[in-house]
Amino acid sequence: MIPSSSPSDPTESHLREEATSSEVLVDGNFLKARRDTVRLPDGGTSTREYVIHPGAVVVVPLLDDGRVVLERQYRYPVGRVMTEFPAGKLDAGEDPFVCGRRELLEETGYSGREWAYAGLMHLAVAYSTEIIHVYFARGLSLGERQLDVGEFVDVFTATPEELIGWCRDGTVTDAKTLTCTLWLQNVLSGAWTLDWQALGTGDAVG
Amino acid sequence: MIPSSSPSDPTESHLREEATSSEVLVDGNFLKARRDTVRLPDGGTSTREYVIHPGAVVVVPLLDDGRVVLERQYRYPVGRVMTEFPAGKLDAGEDPFVCGRRELLEETGYSGREWAYAGLMHLAVAYSTEIIHVYFARGLSLGERQLDVGEFVDVFTATPEELIGWCRDGTVTDAKTLTCTLWLQNVLSGAWTLDWQALGTGDAVG
């Protein structure tokens, strides 16, 4: 039985908010944010301030020996070197799949022969528009990585068991990487299946 | 063997950035952000713009019949009603455990007799300081919920199997809820254990 408030209920107007006006809150070099005035479900008004994000991609790269490719990168807002799956923001108008192949190559040097789209996550629903698309890659071959100027990233590999242990013991705390690990664990157990696609010859990254 | 760039390597100065100055970028009603100038590992400089967040708590509430308590809430930045575990921001100076009990009661009406701290996640490491603490609650009893003015939340229950299926099929896309589901799945399988604590009589939420 599906309760009336379950995800499949199409009539949720008692929860929805409608914009009545919108203004730029900040237009930084990196950070863009807006402040909207909204009409609440009960007719009241409130304001919503949120970051405008172009969207991003994260890749779970599976090596032939069963290990996964991970990165260590200093994340200034949290003041820590974080363990993460390779990820990056979409360039303006960029297709997420193109972005995933580009970011994997640029940051790690790996190219994948087969790719699968797993799904998407909304990263910070209270204050950001950010959507992250999750891809898996396999049939990996190592070339030269091409880090952007001012980008400092260490690449290493681990077994899925090591990664899952790090999620449990607090070594891995990045939400997108934890979410990818939910996917990885269920794909490896066979509970969740992926629709793998071999790259055609026209799919090479620039 | 642990590679030199693994999470347990203490010497990562080749990745670290140091602040050289900091200024307020935006001081909204809700959204606070800063712009810092940083010295990069190679001696170059860059700027980092990021949201200042007080931290938050998310609770995985386990009912005696094995179901979990979930919420449906409209999230304006992503323009969707989202399925999430109960969560909320820390009040100024608030202890995360106090916040978890308060948010669960306010949003769902449930009080937990036993609680366990699972761990923390960093939600959006590229542009936010936000840390979310993950708690589990059980021995739940239902009272009256106390939503804030202007807060509209539907509460419902689901089996863990339903929740895991929704994570797989794209019904659940909230990153903190996906991360909690990684915890839930491993706790229920017995792979990860929790340190449950019974609430004392002095632990009642105001």
Side-chain angles (χ1 to χ4, degrees):
Chain A
M1 197 208 73
I2 295 170
S4 62
S5 53
S6 86
S8 55
D9 176 10
T11 64
E12 297 188 303
S13 58
H14 64 293
L15 298 175
R16 292 188 176 272
E17 301 168 354
E18 302 290 341
T20 55
S21 68
S22 179
E23 61 179 314
V24 172
L25 181 64
V26 59
D27 186 20
N29 300 323
F30 167 77
L31 205 68
K32 321 284 183 190
R34 299 192 71 85
R35 176 193 285 141
D36 292 6
T37 303
V38 302
R39 189 170 45 246
L40 299 174
D42 65 357
T45 60
S46 188
T47 56
R48 299 289 177 240
E49 297 173 350
Y50 57 99
V51 171
I52 302 290
H53 193 282
V57 170
V58 60
V59 180
V60 180
L62 305 176
L63 292 164
D64 290 345
D65 66 2
R67 299 173 74 88
V68 296
V69 180
L70 292 161
E71 298 181 350
R72 294 279 288 165
Q73 184 173 5
Y74 188 74
R75 295 298 199 164
Y76 185 83
V78 296
R80 296 173 51 150
V81 179
M82 301 291 291
T83 297
E84 303 172 43
F85 279 116
K89 276 195 298 188
L90 298 177
D91 288 339
E94 189 177 31
D95 177 83
F97 183 34
V98 172
C99 176
R101 284 178 288 147
R102 178 178 60 73
E103 288 287 350
L104 181 64
L105 180 63
E106 286 178 2
E107 294 188 353
T108 73
Y110 281 103
S111 300
R113 201 173 53 243
E114 291 180 90
W115 288 75
Y117 182 70
L120 62 82
M121 72 186 91
H122 292 94
L123 193 62
V125 292
Y127 59 89
S128 173
T129 64
E130 183 171 5
I131 291 174
I132 304 183
H133 299 277
V134 180
Y135 287 89
F136 279 62
R138 68 183 182 190
L140 300 178
S141 55
L142 187 56
E144 280 292 318
R145 63 182 189 154
Q146 304 148 15
L147 288 176
D148 290 336
V149 173
E151 197 173 30
F152 302 88
V153 176
D154 279 358
V155 178
F156 72 106
T157 68
T159 66
E161 295 70 29
E162 286 173 325
L163 171 62
I164 291 166
W166 292 333
C167 294
R168 195 260 169 276
D169 72 14
T171 302
V172 171
T173 59
D174 172 54
K176 72 177 174 303
T177 302
L178 290 161
T179 293
C180 287
T181 303
L182 174 69
W183 269 94
L184 178 65
Q185 183 166 266
N186 283 289
V187 165
L188 293 179
S189 77
W192 298 2
T193 54
L194 293 171
D195 181 19
W196 289 100
Q197 306 281 340
L199 275 197
T201 49
D203 292 329
V205 174
Chain B
M1 196 207 75
I2 296 172
S4 62
S5 53
S6 87
S8 55
D9 176 10
T11 63
E12 296 189 303
S13 58
H14 63 293
L15 298 175
R16 291 189 176 272
E17 302 168 354
E18 302 290 341
T20 56
S21 69
S22 179
E23 60 179 317
V24 172
L25 180 63
V26 58
D27 187 19
N29 301 321
F30 168 77
L31 205 67
K32 320 285 183 189
R34 299 192 72 85
R35 175 192 286 141
D36 292 6
T37 303
V38 301
R39 190 169 44 246
L40 300 174
D42 65 358
T45 60
S46 188
T47 56
R48 300 288 177 238
E49 298 173 350
Y50 57 100
V51 172
I52 302 289
H53 193 282
V57 170
V58 61
V59 180
V60 180
L62 305 175
L63 291 164
D64 290 345
D65 66 1
R67 298 174 74 87
V68 296
V69 180
L70 292 161
E71 298 181 350
R72 294 279 289 165
Q73 184 173 5
Y74 188 74
R75 294 299 200 163
Y76 185 83
V78 296
R80 297 174 49 151
V81 179
M82 301 290 292
T83 297
E84 304 173 39
F85 279 117
K89 274 194 301 188
L90 297 177
D91 288 339
E94 188 178 31
D95 178 83
F97 183 34
V98 172
C99 176
R101 285 178 289 149
R102 178 178 59 73
E103 289 287 351
L104 181 64
L105 180 63
E106 286 179 1
E107 294 189 353
T108 73
Y110 281 102
S111 300
R113 203 174 54 244
E114 292 180 90
W115 288 75
Y117 182 71
L120 63 83
M121 72 186 90
H122 291 93
L123 193 62
V125 292
Y127 59 90
S128 173
T129 65
E130 183 170 6
I131 291 173
I132 304 182
H133 299 277
V134 180
Y135 286 89
F136 278 63
R138 67 183 182 190
L140 300 179
S141 54
L142 187 56
E144 280 292 317
R145 64 183 190 152
Q146 304 148 16
L147 288 176
D148 290 336
V149 173
E151 197 172 30
F152 303 87
V153 176
D154 278 359
V155 178
F156 71 107
T157 68
T159 66
E161 293 70 29
E162 286 172 326
L163 171 61
I164 291 165
W166 292 333
C167 294
R168 196 258 169 277
D169 72 15
T171 303
V172 170
T173 59
D174 173 55
K176 70 177 175 304
T177 301
L178 290 161
T179 293
C180 286
T181 304
L182 175 69
W183 270 94
L184 178 65
Q185 186 169 37
N186 283 288
V187 165
L188 293 179
S189 78
W192 298 3
T193 54
L194 293 171
D195 182 19
W196 288 100
Q197 307 281 340
L199 275 197
T201 51
D203 293 328
V205 174

